[in-house]
């Protein structure tokens, strides 16, 4: 700036102020970068020192453990020599003393390498011993034989059938193999219903999805999926009671034939049974009435209310009911009289 001027314009003063401000900011930025660089270097040095200390600690611990093992082995050999027993062989470095698991047999190394080659796996890994190679082979074969999970709404190890083979029989068969196939059919059918339900929800417009009713519909789907998960698990492990399997088979058969009213009746028979439900006062006199006998029919097999058996069964049947309600909208019947109200 010209020092001979007696007066300065306001623009010149502002320009000088901005120049001073920018110069000050540059100096501050340089100082900040320099501090960060010093801090990074200190952290790196501290990390290197920490790694060196840890490595030294591990090395000393390994040497101490090795020295203790050698001393113990020397003492044991001296003791065995005094009593006339042969000395123990020294264990080579990297030798594993862990025996194989039950059912695992040792395999010759050449044959083991050929087996690994047949599995398209490396025959030898760097630094791998025979025992490690054998364990790797058994681990690979166990993984190959392990059942695979499906990718549906409810993942399962059951082998699901195609849609053309999902039609369950009208009556539950007696043969064990046929029952096993029926369990696969039931799991496949509910997997298909849930998949169609999920796909229908995903096709809705965004404003419908974000509305209150849209969120409620999605919550109903999630609840039905969670409620049906125990059913699929029981079908996997063949732990579903015979009476429940028979009733669910009837419901699925009626759903597949689009007889939704009859399917709902079968659901009601399964859930609340055929027993009379007392309302109000049940004992109004000292004499036994004939109609009162029906109040105790829940103790019989045909009148048992399975929905009250336990919480898991109640939720499971509720999930079946939700799938029944969706199925009649996805696959409407030709006879409108079969639509539930």
């Amino acid at each position: 700036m010209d020092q001979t001027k007696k007066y300065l314009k306001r623009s010149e003063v502002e320009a000088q102020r901005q120049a001073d401000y920018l110069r000050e900011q540059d100096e501050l930025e340089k100082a900040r970068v320099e501090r960060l660089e010093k801090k990074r270097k200190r952290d790196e040095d501290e990390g290197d020192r920490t790694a060196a200390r840890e490595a030294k600690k591990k090395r000393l611990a390994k040497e101490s453990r090795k020295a203790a093992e050698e001393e113990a082995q020397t003492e044991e050999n001296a003791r065995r020599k005094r009593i006339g027993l042969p000395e123990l062989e020294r264990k080579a470095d990297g030798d594993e003393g862990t025996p194989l698991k039950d059912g695992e047999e040792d395999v010759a190394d050449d044959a083991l390498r050929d087996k690994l080659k047949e599995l398209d796996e490396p025959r030898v890994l760097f630094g791998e011993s025979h025992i490690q190679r054998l364990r790797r082979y058994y681990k690979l074969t166990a993984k190959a034989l392990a059942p695979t999970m499906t990718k549906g709404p409810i993942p399962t190890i059951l082998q699901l059938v195609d849609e053309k083979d999902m039609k369950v029989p009208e009556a539950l068969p007696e043969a064990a193999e046929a029952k096993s196939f029926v369990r696969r059919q039931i799991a496949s059918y509910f997997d298909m219903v849930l998949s169609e339900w999920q796909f229908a929800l995903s096709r809705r417009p965004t404003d419908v999805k974000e509305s209150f009713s849209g969120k409620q519909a999605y919550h109903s789907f999630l609840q039905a999926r969670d409620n049906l998960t125990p059913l699929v698990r029981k079908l996997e492990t063949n732990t579903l009671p015979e009476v429940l399997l028979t009733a669910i088979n009837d419901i699925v058969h009626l759903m597949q034939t689009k007889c939704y009213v009859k399917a709902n009746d079968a659901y009601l028979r399964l859930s609340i049974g055929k027993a009379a439900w007392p309302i109000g006062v049940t004992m109004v006199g000292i004499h036994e009435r004939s109609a009162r006998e029906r109040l105790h029919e829940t103790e019989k097999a045909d009148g048992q209310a399975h929905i009250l058996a336990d919480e898991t069964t109640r939720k499971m049947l509720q999930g079946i009911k939700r799938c029944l309600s969706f199925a009649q909208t996805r696959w409407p019947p030709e006879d409108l009289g079969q639509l539930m109200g």
Side-chain angles (χ1 to χ4, degrees):
M1 184 179 294
D2 191 359
Q3 300 294 334
T4 60
K5 288 186 178 181
K6 187 175 181 180
Y7 302 103
L8 297 176
K9 295 180 180 179
R10 182 176 296 177
S11 60
E12 294 175 347
V13 174
E14 181 64 22
Q16 180 65 27
R17 189 188 66 79
Q18 290 182 0
D20 294 341
Y21 174 76
L22 293 176
R23 184 173 61 256
E24 182 181 358
Q25 292 298 318
D26 290 340
E27 293 175 356
L28 292 175
E29 180 65 20
K30 290 180 181 178
R32 188 182 68 83
V33 172
E34 186 177 355
R35 288 196 305 271
L36 290 177
E37 185 66 24
K38 290 181 179 179
K39 183 177 182 301
R40 184 185 62 81
K41 189 174 182 181
R42 286 197 305 269
D43 293 342
E44 289 181 354
D45 295 341
E46 182 64 25
D48 294 340
R49 288 193 294 269
T50 302
R53 286 196 299 268
E54 292 295 330
K56 184 178 180 181
K57 188 184 298 183
K58 290 181 180 179
R59 179 173 55 81
L60 292 177
K62 184 177 180 181
E63 292 176 356
S64 176
R65 184 171 61 253
K66 185 177 180 181
E69 291 177 356
E70 290 179 353
E71 183 179 358
Q73 188 171 4
T74 302
E75 294 178 357
E76 178 64 17
N77 286 335
R79 186 187 69 82
R80 295 172 70 89
K81 186 176 181 180
R82 286 196 304 269
I83 61 178
L85 294 177
E87 295 185 358
L88 295 175
E89 296 182 359
R90 292 187 176 273
K91 186 184 295 185
D93 294 339
D95 188 17
E96 305 88 1
T98 305
L100 295 175
K101 297 180 181 179
D102 295 338
E104 295 181 351
E105 299 180 356
D106 196 4
V107 182
D109 197 59
D110 294 338
L112 180 59
R113 297 186 184 191
D114 294 338
K115 290 178 181 294
L116 289 171
K117 185 178 180 180
E118 293 175 358
L119 295 175
D120 293 332
E121 293 290 333
R123 299 177 62 185
V124 180
L125 296 179
F126 179 76
E128 186 181 44
S129 65
H130 174 72
I131 296 295
Q132 292 173 338
R133 193 176 304 115
L134 189 61
R135 289 175 184 162
R136 179 163 63 93
Y137 168 73
Y138 280 121
K139 186 176 181 180
L140 290 171
T141 53
K143 186 182 296 184
L145 296 176
T148 56
M149 299 287 287
T150 60
K151 298 181 180 180
I154 303 178
T156 175
I157 60 175
L158 284 173
Q159 186 178 0
L160 302 182
V161 300
D162 297 332
E163 185 176 356
K164 59 183 179 62
D165 299 326
M166 288 183 189
K167 190 68 176 296
V168 298
E170 186 174 357
L172 188 67
E174 296 293 336
E177 185 177 354
K179 284 183 181 179
S180 177
F181 186 70
V182 169
R183 289 196 298 270
R184 290 172 52 196
Q185 287 178 315
I186 293 175
S188 303
Y189 179 73
F190 283 117
D191 181 83
M192 181 189 68
V193 173
L194 290 174
S195 299
E196 290 289 335
W197 194 352
Q198 187 175 15
F199 180 69
L201 292 175
S202 64
R203 294 180 58 186
R204 298 176 301 169
T206 305
D207 55 342
V208 176
K209 291 181 182 179
E210 296 178 354
S211 64
F212 179 74
S213 59
K215 292 180 180 179
Q216 272 191 328
Y218 184 68
H219 178 70
S220 298
F221 163 75
L222 294 179
Q223 194 172 18
R225 184 190 63 183
D226 295 340
N227 291 343
L228 284 177
T229 301
L231 173 62
V232 177
R233 298 293 172 258
K234 289 178 181 294
L235 292 174
E236 287 177 355
T237 57
N238 192 17
T239 55
L240 189 67
E242 185 82 10
V243 61
L244 282 178
L245 181 61
T246 303
I248 293 174
N249 179 78
D250 295 340
I251 295 174
V252 172
H253 174 73
L254 293 171
M255 290 172 64
Q256 291 175 343
T257 55
K258 300 181 181 180
C259 299
Y260 299 111
V261 173
K262 295 181 180 179
N264 186 56
D265 294 339
Y267 160 76
L268 292 176
R269 287 195 301 270
L270 175 62
S271 58
I272 63 177
K274 299 179 181 179
W277 287 66
I279 299 176
V281 180
T282 59
M283 295 293 291
V284 294
I286 61 174
H287 300 290
E288 186 72 21
R289 304 295 182 182
S290 59
R292 193 176 298 162
E293 297 176 356
R294 294 197 300 270
L295 300 180
H296 305 288
E297 288 184 358
T298 54
E299 299 176 359
K300 301 178 183 179
D302 294 339
Q304 182 180 1
H306 291 285
I307 200 169
L308 302 178
D310 56 83
E311 186 68 13
T312 302
T313 306
R314 185 189 68 80
K315 290 183 177 181
M316 185 171 62
L317 297 180
Q318 186 179 9
I320 294 176
K321 172 62 176 176
R322 290 179 184 269
C323 289
L324 174 59
S325 300
F326 171 76
Q328 73 169 357
T329 60
R330 174 60 180 83
W331 299 281
E334 297 179 359
D335 183 10
L336 297 181
Q338 287 299 325
L339 284 174
M340 296 185 300

